[in-house]
Amino acid sequence: MRPLAHTTALLGATAALALLTACSSGGEDTATDSAPPATAEEQTPEEPRGAITEAQALEVITAYSQTNNQAYRDLDASLLEKIEGGSLLQRSLADLEQYLGRPEADREPIEDWEYINPEFFIPAGETWWMAQADEAPDAGDPRLLTFEQGEGESWLLVSVVPLKEKLPAIAFDEHGLAQAAPADDPAGELLPQDAAAAYEDLWETGGEGPGAPLTTTPGGQNILERRSTEDPLLLARYTATPPEHEHAWALRTVDGGTVVVATVAHSETLTAVSGDVIPGESSAHYNSTPRNPLITHHTGEIAVSIPTAADPQVLGDRWHLIGAE
């Protein structure tokens, strides 16, 4: 069994695509041997390109699995720092730190794994792309992966979201490229840039604020069920906090809406009706003393569908404890 936040990033071996340059013939520019400059109507626009091809993206996915396995096999945090970015790196480093903080005899074995059957969503003119892939040997929910270009020619995995709901059909242009959507796209009931705040409102208020549109769908109802503790003597309260790595990426869907991947963060305050709260294994890594209340801090990523003619839907989320007080 591998650690919870095992979905770390990789260093891609892909090169940035070269821009086409126009070539002109030599010779003097005379009225008899040179053609007049092309008009705007006659000029052929350059074909749009993604920052990576699907063949290259497949190599990145393969390298991702191999590098991730090596990092956890060697328990090498410095390797994770080279191949991962954003909130995903933040939570993966916290996960590895908590794992190493356990007595060696109590550490669960870490198994190798890989991503398979990827479907790519590569937009034109962007320095990021997404892919949906299955995880082997697990047969669980598909993952929605988001990669961003790192330094030089590297690619960093910055988000991994397990999809509990089906991913809507992504829109492609005539060149086979996915269509990116702006953060302030007005096509649906939510702006893509507001998806994170709406999601966190589900935890914070139960959807009484900006999260209200999410409460009517199964994904939103799932969050409302998870926000309540099963222990009647233990009360939970959530407070949204600004993510250290705040970002949102959006793709256009066939119906004209969007799919948004965004970073999120919140704190959880557990208060016992009487006595003290006993920290769990992860929070005990930071402070094992029973206390009341117990405050923990979490960060992660979400995927939200914002259709044009229906309520937005939480497709999936993943976050991890990164500190406690």
Side-chain angles (χ1 to χ4, degrees):
M1 179 176 180
R2 53 190 175 277
L4 174 64
H6 68 279
T7 45
T8 54
L10 60 129
L11 182 64
T14 60
L17 298 179
L19 295 177
L20 298 178
T21 56
C23 297
S24 60
S25 60
E28 296 182 358
D29 184 12
T30 67
T32 58
D33 62 7
S34 64
T39 65
E41 291 77 11
E42 295 172 330
Q43 292 175 359
T44 302
E46 184 177 308
E47 182 175 310
R49 293 174 179 264
I52 193 172
T53 67
E54 289 196 0
Q56 292 169 333
L58 181 58
E59 293 179 0
V60 171
I61 293 284
T62 301
Y64 166 81
S65 302
Q66 295 171 348
T67 306
N68 179 275
N69 287 330
Q70 188 66 48
Y72 273 98
R73 194 180 302 123
D74 297 343
L75 302 178
D76 189 349
S78 65
L79 181 55
L80 294 180
E81 291 171 346
K82 294 177 181 178
I83 62 176
E84 193 172 61
S87 67
L88 181 62
L89 173 61
Q90 187 179 13
R91 62 183 174 89
S92 294
L93 290 177
D95 180 55
L96 184 58
E97 178 187 344
Q98 294 161 22
Y99 182 81
L100 291 172
R102 306 173 197 165
E104 191 167 349
D106 295 341
R107 297 176 188 170
E108 298 176 349
I110 298 174
E111 301 174 355
D112 283 357
W113 62 280
E114 63 178 330
Y115 281 130
I116 61 173
N117 306 324
E119 179 182 2
F120 299 106
F121 312 114
I122 304 172
E126 303 289 346
T127 57
W128 58 271
W129 51 278
M130 295 185 191
Q132 179 178 271
D134 297 319
E135 187 177 306
D138 291 351
D141 302 315
R143 268 57 169 170
L144 185 59
L145 318 175
T146 304
F147 292 86
E148 273 199 339
Q149 198 161 26
E151 294 183 1
E153 299 173 355
S154 66
W155 287 98
L156 304 178
L157 189 64
V158 293
S159 173
V160 176
V161 181
L163 297 175
K164 299 294 185 182
E165 304 294 335
K166 184 177 175 60
L167 185 70
I170 302 299
F172 292 86
D173 64 19
E174 64 272 22
H175 303 286
L177 297 173
Q179 298 180 26
D184 59 354
D185 185 83
E189 193 169 350
L190 280 177
L191 301 181
Q193 64 192 17
D194 295 334
Y199 169 86
E200 286 296 353
D201 181 64
L202 290 177
W203 290 95
E204 193 167 40
T205 73
E208 297 179 2
L214 297 172
T215 61
T216 64
T217 55
Q221 287 296 312
N222 175 263
I223 304 300
L224 297 181
E225 292 174 5
R226 288 160 54 193
R227 72 187 290 266
S228 301
T229 65
E230 298 180 356
D231 188 342
L233 300 179
L234 196 62
L235 305 177
R237 179 170 56 85
Y238 298 89
T239 304
T241 57
E244 183 175 335
H245 305 278
E246 190 169 7
H247 207 110
W249 306 265
L251 290 172
R252 180 75 60 205
T253 55
V254 169
D255 75 344
T258 58
V259 165
V260 186
V261 173
T263 54
V264 293
H266 59 248
S267 63
E268 178 187 39
T269 301
L270 292 176
T271 304
V273 174
S274 63
D276 291 327
V277 181
I278 299 175
E281 183 178 64
S282 296
S283 56
H285 171 77
Y286 301 97
N287 183 350
S288 61
T289 304
R291 53 201 185 275
N292 196 28
L294 169 64
I295 301 174
T296 54
H297 304 285
H298 310 260
T299 194
E301 305 93 48
I302 61 170
V304 176
S305 169
I306 308 177
T308 58
D311 288 339
Q313 163 85 306
V314 178
L315 302 176
D317 63 344
R318 171 172 281 179
W319 37 269
H320 191 64
L321 185 147
I322 58 171
E325 57 185 82

